Amino acid sequence: LFPNEPDYSALHKVDRALVREFLETHGLEPGRKRFLFCGRLTPSARVNVLIDAFISISVGLPDWDLVIVGDGELRGDLQARVSAELSSRIRFIGCVNADRMSSCYPACDVLVDPSDDNPWGMEINEAIACGLALIATTVNRSAIELVRHRDNGLLVAPRSVPALAQAMREVTR
């Protein structure tokens, strides 16, 4: 059973004008492809692994960016991992209200959840409802239930920068 579920109707009928407004508000260029992370910036979220994976593939994927939605104790440390050269492609946009998330998902292409301790990530449900491809770890409980490997997403080993980078490359093909 799902602990709770998102408002699927709000995710299915997204006003394209609101998506354009979301892009403008957060300085995201229209027409670019985006990986998306949504969640608290805490140690178990493993956003450091995601950033390192993106950095390792960024040269080979010049049309792709990484959008990080959320806030938390590690924000400063995570931002410090990003070179000035990549700061326009790895964007920290902070917390987004639940009613604005329905504009965030269609502005992106792939949800990536590298966490190694997530009892039930609602963002997995929401991303599926919006038709995004998914990359998550094999210990993420919602991903285990909802991601069908190589069908609607990819499951990778937790804490592995090479595995996550490979999955990110694979999903862009």
Side-chain angles (χ1 to χ4, degrees):
L1 297 174
F2 295 91
N4 49 43
E5 293 190 55
D7 179 0
Y8 290 114
S9 64
L11 296 168
H12 288 293
K13 55 179 180 182
V14 178
D15 182 348
R16 296 309 295 174
L18 292 176
V19 175
R20 284 191 300 278
E21 179 185 316
F22 181 87
L23 292 171
E24 285 178 22
T25 299
H26 297 290
L28 303 173
E29 286 183 48
R32 293 200 47 87
K33 303 242 182 215
R34 294 179 188 85
F35 294 105
L36 171 66
F37 170 84
C38 299
R40 298 271 311 141
L41 305 182
T42 61
S44 66
R46 301 293 171 203
V47 180
N48 59 316
V49 173
L50 173 57
I51 290 171
D52 292 349
F54 183 80
I55 290 169
S56 76
I57 63 171
S58 63
V59 171
L61 297 174
D63 298 332
W64 284 81
D65 298 332
L66 172 59
V67 174
I68 299 172
V69 173
D71 213 342
E73 65 195 76
L74 296 181
R75 183 172 178 157
D77 292 339
L78 294 168
Q79 287 177 308
R81 295 179 95 84
V82 180
S83 68
E85 177 182 294
L86 283 176
S87 64
S88 67
R89 294 185 54 203
I90 300 176
R91 304 297 304 275
F92 289 81
I93 63 172
C95 292
V96 173
N97 292 336
D99 61 330
R100 300 289 294 165
M101 282 306 295
S102 61
S103 300
C104 176
Y105 289 111
C108 298
D109 301 280
V110 179
L111 177 77
V112 184
D113 188 339
S115 67
D116 61 8
D117 183 23
N118 193 343
W120 193 274
M122 190 60 63
E123 68 279 0
I124 300 288
N125 297 65
E126 293 169 342
I128 289 172
C130 291
L132 270 67
L134 303 157
I135 300 172
T137 63
T138 55
V139 295
N140 181 312
R141 291 176 189 96
S142 56
I144 291 167
E145 293 294 325
L146 299 173
V147 175
R148 293 178 311 279
H149 189 66
R150 299 202 185 286
D151 183 16
N152 66 340
L154 298 170
L155 296 171
V156 299
R159 299 185 188 195
S160 173
V161 171
L164 187 56
Q166 176 58 36
M168 292 169 78
R169 274 192 296 271
E170 187 174 331
V171 80
T172 64
R173 295 182 192 142

